[in-house]
Amino acid sequence: MNNKSFFSWGRWLKTAAVLVAVTANTAFAESKAWPKEVSLGYQKYGSLIILKSTGNLEKRLQEKGVAVKWAEFQFGPPMLEALNAGSLDFAITGETPPVFAQAAKGSPLVYVANEPASPQGEGLLVKADSGVKTVADLKGKKVATAKGSNAHYFLIQALAKAGLTLNDVNLIFLAPADARAALERGDVSAWSIWDYFYAAAELQLGTRTLTDGEGIVNNYAFYTSRREVAEKYPELIAIILEEVGKTDAWIKDNPAAAAEQLAVNVGVDAKILEKALHRSNYGPEPIKPEVAAAQQKIADTLLDIKLLPHAISVGDAVWQRK
């Protein structure tokens, strides 16, 4: 090999090495910016079901090489247990489950956004022919709710407004379907529940509402993630929330059509779903100080009545995008 050929070969190797390094760095940057997969948890009602049915999030993330997985949960606490365990990257629940989830040892949970308050979306129900006329009449009676749910906290506050505590009632923890059946059979006197189960009980069972959440709770819905996911993939969280926002805007403008679409996906009568949708407010927002303060009040209340194992600072779990 002559000197000219040797130096040409050397320059080629040097150029190739630079190209490999650039390619490797680019691949690393892309892998850091976008995961291979994102998993979202949802309940059998709400915006995420419609977003899932449209496939719009999948279309948006396909160009980034991100696959989308969906997981359905009956209510919030088990969903956030899955998030804490690393099985979910993104979830939506009511206001109380994140408080319990944050109290778990080493919880990675962060709040990334919230839906506006919807206090009318929760109700404390009795059968139409019940002798219970007021919340105060529940003293000594059996009351059902889902443990750790937003309806659990709503019940605490509804009782407090009537001058009662949880110690004044016989609290029965049941999942929504079981609680409905218990109320219908007369095994419990009242049921604290959220929509759409609330609307279904009104329209199908003819229940009577002792009180809804107006003036008692905010009933925010919260979008949460794991800190490592939010901090490593902020653009991913932004895209998810953007697509949720588009879906929310469509639901707000088209409640009847949204109810029909939800009915197809969840197997519930559209009239029930439309009633529930009209009691909800829409549009994901960044966590404002007053919203975090309201969450802190929930945490402090649960700690005071010894339902939370230790004090938490909600502000520490509010994600600040950099």
Side-chain angles (χ1 to χ4, degrees):
M1 179 182 295
N2 58 37
N3 286 341
K4 185 176 181 180
S5 297
F6 175 80
F7 287 118
S8 297
W9 179 248
R11 283 195 298 270
W12 186 91
L13 284 175
K14 186 175 181 180
T15 302
V18 171
L19 288 173
V20 169
V22 169
T23 302
N25 288 337
T26 302
F28 174 77
E30 289 179 351
S31 67
K32 187 176 180 181
W34 304 104
K36 292 182 179 179
E37 181 180 274
V38 61
S39 55
L40 290 83
Y42 66 97
Q43 298 180 52
K44 197 178 179 181
Y45 171 68
S47 305
L48 288 189
I49 290 183
I50 292 181
L51 178 57
K52 177 177 181 287
S53 70
T54 65
N56 288 340
L57 183 61
E58 284 84 349
K59 294 170 190 173
R60 185 83 181 272
L61 291 178
Q62 186 176 25
E63 63 188 46
K64 308 295 185 182
V66 182
V68 179
K69 285 182 63 178
W70 300 89
E72 182 181 304
F73 293 81
Q74 191 171 7
F75 59 115
M79 187 189 307
L80 294 189
E81 286 177 13
L83 186 138
N84 271 350
S87 300
L88 284 179
D89 301 314
F90 188 90
I92 179 171
T93 68
E95 55 195 2
T96 309
V99 171
F100 283 108
Q102 189 186 347
K105 184 177 180 181
S107 172
L109 178 143
V110 288
Y111 294 85
V112 296
N114 68 274
E115 297 278 3
S118 301
Q120 294 180 341
E122 292 183 283
L124 184 54
L125 314 180
V126 295
K127 294 176 72 172
D129 60 356
S130 172
V132 175
K133 303 302 180 184
T134 67
V135 176
D137 293 338
L138 290 174
K139 188 171 183 177
K141 301 287 197 301
K142 292 181 179 179
V143 182
T145 196
K147 186 176 183 179
S149 68
N150 58 332
H152 187 176
Y153 179 71
F154 163 56
L155 175 61
I156 293 168
Q157 295 299 74
L159 291 172
K161 189 175 181 180
L164 303 177
T165 71
L166 290 179
N167 293 328
D168 292 311
V169 300
N170 186 357
L171 187 58
I172 309 295
F173 289 127
L174 294 171
D178 296 328
R180 171 177 163 147
L183 181 67
E184 192 171 8
R185 290 192 305 264
D187 293 344
V188 298
S189 296
W191 178 26
S192 180
I193 190 57
W194 62 88
D195 272 327
Y196 74 94
F197 298 104
Y198 174 17
E202 289 181 297
L203 296 179
Q204 294 176 333
L205 303 183
T207 55
R208 179 162 43 86
T209 302
L210 296 178
T211 183
D212 63 18
E214 195 70 48
I216 298 175
V217 292
N218 295 303
N219 193 29
Y220 292 113
F222 284 99
Y223 295 101
T224 55
S225 183
R226 289 183 289 116
R227 187 176 298 278
E228 62 179 316
V229 174
E231 292 184 351
K232 191 174 182 180
Y233 308 117
E235 293 298 327
L236 173 66
I237 299 299
I239 286 175
I240 294 172
L241 290 174
E242 186 177 327
E243 291 303 319
V244 170
K246 292 176 184 176
T247 304
D248 274 0
W250 180 79
I251 294 172
K252 185 177 180 179
D253 293 339
N254 305 276
E260 292 288 348
Q261 187 164 336
L262 275 171
V264 171
N265 288 280
V266 304
V268 174
D269 188 279
K271 290 181 180 178
I272 292 171
L273 297 169
E274 187 172 1
K275 184 178 181 71
L277 290 174
H278 279 297
R279 290 195 287 227
S280 300
N281 290 308
Y282 301 96
E285 303 171 341
I287 307 294
K288 298 186 177 82
E290 57 267 30
V291 175
Q295 281 298 95
Q296 188 63 55
K297 180 184 176 182
I298 294 176
D300 294 343
T301 299
L302 295 175
L303 181 67
D304 287 344
I305 60 176
K306 299 181 174 18
L307 289 182
L308 207 63
H310 57 83
I312 63 169
S313 171
V314 170
D316 292 344
V318 175
W319 177 53
Q320 302 292 340
R321 184 177 176 184
K322 298 175 182 178

